[in-house]
Amino acid sequence: MSALKICLVASEVAPFAKTGGLADVAAALPRYLHAAGHDVRVFLPRYAKSELDPAETHPVDFMSDVHLAMGRLQFQYSVVTTRLPGSDLRVYAVDCPPLYGRAGIYGEEDDHLRFAFLTRAAIESCQRMGWSPHVFHCNDWHTALLPLYLKTVYGWDSMFRDSRTLLTIHNIAYQGVFARSVLRDLSLDGDAQRFYASDLEAGIVNFLKTGVLHADLLSTVSPTYAREIQSGELGMGLQGLLAQRTRSLIGILNGVDYAEWDPASDPRLPAHYGVDDLAGKEENKRRLLAELELAPADRAPLMGVISRLTAQKGFELLYEALPRALAERDTRLIALGSGATDYEGFFTQLQTKFPGKVCYYRGFSEDLAHRIEAASDIFLMPSRFEPCGLNQMYSLRYGTVPIVHRTGGLADSVQQWHWETQTGTGFLFEHFDRQGLAWALESALATYENPEAWAKLVRNGMTQDFSWEKQGAQYVEVYRRLSGVG
Ligand code: ADP
Ligand code: GLC
C-alpha cells in the first residue's frame, strides 16, 4: 500500500500549545501516522507562549516574511519547523506576531482572522513546498474554513485538484460564530452564497457549520457522540444539517498515546508501576498526599479531578454527594483545573471545609495532572456531554477507577463494573442528575472496601488497550477511502 500525504491543521498541538484534549490528539495521531510511514505535515500557530526548543527549531526555506492579504489587511508570516518530542516528525509553526503574539491562545476579538489565517498559511505553505496532500485534516471550528478556501480562494490551483478534506469535530459546543461583516477580512465576501443563508440573514457566519457544509467527510471523536450530535440538544443547532450528512459522518474514538501516558515509564512520576505490581501506585499516592499536606490515606480512597472547569464537565452533580462522602467517610480529594467561577468556588469551599482531606490546585499543570492520575484511586468525570474524553482512558491505564456519565466517548470507553461477574472497568450513571452520580459514587466507595473486588476492577481497567495503533488505523482507512489511494 502506498504512503499517504496528510496535512493536519489544528489550533493546538501538545506540547507546544495545549488547553485540552485537542492538543493531545493533534500530536498523537500524526506521531502514529509518521511512525506508520506516512508523510504527515502538521501546522499550528506559533503563540507567544509556545515554548519551542531553540536547538530543534529552524526557519523553513522559502517561507520567511511571506506576504498574505486578508481582505484589506496585510500580514507577513514566516514558518518555522520543530521536532515533535518522542518522534522525528517535524511540525510547522506559523509565526505571525501581530496575530499570535498575545498572552492567550483563544478569546481574542479577532479570533476569526487569526484562525482563518492559519488555514490559509497552511494551504500556501503546501503550495510553496510543492506538496499536494491527499487529505487536509481539519480540526474544530478554528480550521473549518479550509475546505471552503480550497474551493474559492485557491480553487484555481490544480495542485489541489485531487486533495480531499476531512473535518473532525472534537467539540460541537464551540462553533466560531462571528458577525457577517468579518467576511471581508476573510477574503470571502465574494463567496457569501457559500455560507448558510439563514445565518447571513441573521447577520452572522458560523465557521463550524460552514465546514460541515463543505468538507468532503466529517468525523467526530467517538461513535456515540457521532450519533448524539445528529439529534436533540447535543447537536447544538447543527443536528439537522448533520443528520442530512449522516452518510458522511463517522465516529472514531480517540486513542491514548501510551508513550506519554504509561505509569510504567512516565517520567513525571516518582515511582513507576504496572498491572502486576501496584506498589509504585501506593508510593505515588503517599508522596503526593504528603507534598500537598493532606493526611495519609493508605486504606482510604483518594479521588481525583483534572479538568477544564466548564459547564460541559457537569461538576454541579457533585455539589451534595462529594461533601457528604468527605464528611461521612475517610476519603481524600485532589482537584486540578480552572475556569467557571461557580466550579472554582465549589472546590475552594471544599478545601476550606475539609482541611487535610481536600486539595484544590487552581491552574494548569501537566506534571500535577500525571501525578494525580497515578496517585488517585477514583477519577471523577461527571460530564454533561463528552465528545470523547481522554482522562477516563488515562485513568484506566493508571489503575484509577473512573466514575462517568454514560455519554459520548465516556460510554464508549468505560464499562460498568458488575460484582457478580467481576467484569467492567468503572461506574457509569445513565441520567445526568445528582441521584445518578450519588449512586455511582456510593457504589465505587463500597467496592473499594472490598480489596479483592477492587483489585480485579483496577486490573480490568489497566489491561484495556486504547492505543493509537488501533484507533489510528481507522483514520488511515478513512483517508484511503476518501482519497482513493490504495
Ligand atoms: P477536554 O478536551 O474537553 O478538555 P479531554 O479529557 O479530552 O477533555 O482532555 C483534557 C486534556 O487536558 C487531558 O490531557 C488533561 O490531562 C488535560 N488537562 C485538563 N485540565 C488540565 C489542567 N488544569 N492541568 C493540566 N492538564 C489539564
Ligand atoms: C474536545 C472534547 C473532548 C475530546 C477532545 C479531543 O475538547 O471536549 O471530549 O476528548 O476534544 O478530541
Side-chain angles (χ1 to χ4, degrees):
M1 290 224 234
S2 45
L4 290 159
K5 291 182 281 180
I6 308 296
C7 178
L8 187 139
V9 194
S11 56
E12 22 183 300
V13 179
F16 311 115
K18 169 165 169 175
T19 68
L22 168 60
D24 293 17
V25 174
L29 173 59
R31 197 178 275 136
Y32 159 78
L33 293 169
H34 177 71
H38 302 291
D39 182 0
V40 49
R41 306 191 187 181
V42 180
F43 287 85
L44 84 159
R46 181 181 195 169
Y47 301 104
K49 65 182 235 184
S50 305
E51 284 174 27
L52 305 185
D53 177 355
E56 296 284 355
T57 305
H58 310 287
V60 181
D61 280 352
F62 311 112
M63 288 199 238
S64 73
D65 300 324
V66 180
H67 184 257
L68 177 53
M70 300 289 291
R72 294 166 313 161
L73 306 170
Q74 307 291 332
F75 294 96
Q76 277 198 338
Y77 70 95
S78 300
V79 176
V80 297
T81 173
T82 191
R83 200 174 56 83
L84 193 64
S87 165
D88 58 358
L89 173 63
R90 306 207 65 89
V91 305
Y92 297 92
V94 178
D95 193 12
C96 182
L99 291 173
Y100 306 128
R102 324 268 175 86
I105 294 184
Y106 306 119
E108 304 288 332
E109 63 179 27
D110 56 352
D111 276 358
H112 58 284
L113 194 60
R114 299 169 71 229
F115 294 112
F117 187 89
L118 169 67
T119 58
R120 291 193 57 190
I123 294 172
E124 296 202 5
S125 298
C126 292
Q127 290 175 318
R128 283 169 186 268
M129 294 189 285
W131 186 69
S132 307
H134 293 120
V135 178
F136 281 96
H137 187 165
C138 317
N139 296 276
D140 275 349
W141 73 263
H142 321 96
T143 50
L145 288 189
L146 192 146
L148 180 59
Y149 276 128
L150 280 185
K151 291 178 185 173
T152 54
V153 177
Y154 303 99
W156 59 271
D157 194 341
S158 59
M159 71 176 276
F160 301 127
R161 198 185 46 217
D162 296 325
S163 297
R164 295 289 173 267
T165 52
L166 168 66
L167 170 62
T168 297
I169 301 171
H170 295 262
N171 196 333
I172 208 165
Y174 304 97
Q175 298 184 3
V177 179
F178 302 97
R180 179 196 167 137
S181 55
V182 305
L183 283 180
R184 192 171 54 182
D185 291 348
L186 302 178
S187 307
L188 289 170
D189 46 354
D191 296 291
Q193 77 284 2
R194 306 253 199 176
F195 286 77
Y196 212 67
S198 60
D199 284 351
L200 294 174
E201 278 160 30
I204 55 171
V205 290
N206 179 322
F207 276 39
L208 190 67
K209 199 192 259 186
T210 308
V212 167
L213 278 176
H214 293 287
D216 294 312
L217 193 70
L218 307 168
S219 76
T220 185
V221 287
S222 69
T224 295
Y225 194 61
R227 286 191 298 278
E228 288 171 341
I229 56 177
Q230 294 182 57
S231 66
E233 62 190 67
L234 290 188
M236 309 269 171
L238 300 194
Q239 58 273 22
L241 195 57
L242 288 166
Q244 279 169 25
R245 295 213 60 192
T246 188
R247 291 162 65 90
S248 307
L249 169 61
I250 50 164
I252 302 177
L253 193 73
N254 286 331
V256 172
D257 190 342
Y258 290 122
E260 290 283 315
W261 294 93
D262 181 353
S265 55
D266 187 336
R268 294 182 161 97
L269 303 186
H272 290 145
Y273 61 96
V275 64
D276 292 321
D277 183 4
L278 290 163
K281 183 165 178 67
E282 287 162 25
E283 175 67 11
N284 285 309
K285 179 175 171 182
R286 264 195 295 276
R287 305 244 315 231
L288 190 59
L289 288 171
E291 274 174 44
L292 299 177
E293 297 178 1
L294 298 181
D298 288 350
R299 296 252 158 72
L302 167 61
M303 298 175 279
V305 168
I306 303 162
S307 189
R308 294 183 297 117
L309 298 184
T310 63
Q312 168 191 348
K313 302 295 178 179
F315 289 114
E316 63 272 29
L317 295 195
L318 302 176
Y319 284 179
E320 287 154 19
L322 196 50
R324 196 166 56 232
L326 287 160
E328 293 174 2
R329 293 172 176 264
D330 190 16
T331 50
R332 306 285 178 277
L333 171 74
I334 302 177
L336 165 66
S338 61
T341 44
D342 45 350
Y343 288 164
E344 288 189 358
F346 169 64
F347 288 116
T348 307
Q349 274 174 18
L350 285 182
Q351 179 171 249
T352 313
K353 198 162 166 208
F354 299 101
K357 281 185 147 184
V358 176
C359 173
Y360 169 44
Y361 182 100
R362 183 176 162 276
F364 191 93
S365 164
E366 196 70 43
D367 271 329
L368 195 51
H370 286 247
R371 294 193 59 193
I372 294 174
E373 285 290 6
S376 304
D377 300 292
I378 293 172
F379 193 82
L380 300 172
M381 203 161 169
S383 310
R384 180 180 291 273
F385 66 92
E386 195 61 76
C388 178
L390 295 171
N391 283 108
Q392 82 283 9
M393 297 195 280
Y394 300 157
S395 296
L396 290 170
R397 180 50 63 104
Y398 281 66
T400 304
V401 175
I403 296 184
V404 301
H405 173 212
R406 192 187 291 281
T407 183
L410 300 176
D412 294 341
S413 56
V414 181
Q415 296 143 28
Q416 176 60 40
W417 164 253
H418 291 290
W419 187 281
E420 316 75 50
T421 51
Q422 303 273 297
T423 54
T425 58
F427 297 88
L428 297 108
F429 55 97
E430 300 291 327
H431 301 292
F432 184 77
D433 57 30
R434 293 184 189 194
Q435 293 88 322
L437 180 278
W439 166 82
L441 183 56
E442 279 306 309
S443 309
L445 294 173
T447 309
Y448 182 85
E449 294 189 351
N450 181 325
E452 257 177 43
W454 192 260
K456 178 71 173 113
L457 169 56
V458 164
R459 185 178 185 87
N460 290 352
M462 291 183 82
T463 49
Q464 297 287 303
D465 180 6
F466 295 104
S467 61
W468 274 106
E469 281 67 37
K470 279 172 74 184
Q471 306 312 115
Q474 297 182 50
Y475 277 98
V476 170
E477 221 179 286
V478 164
Y479 297 145
R480 290 201 188 282
R481 196 171 81 201
L482 192 54
S483 62
V485 175

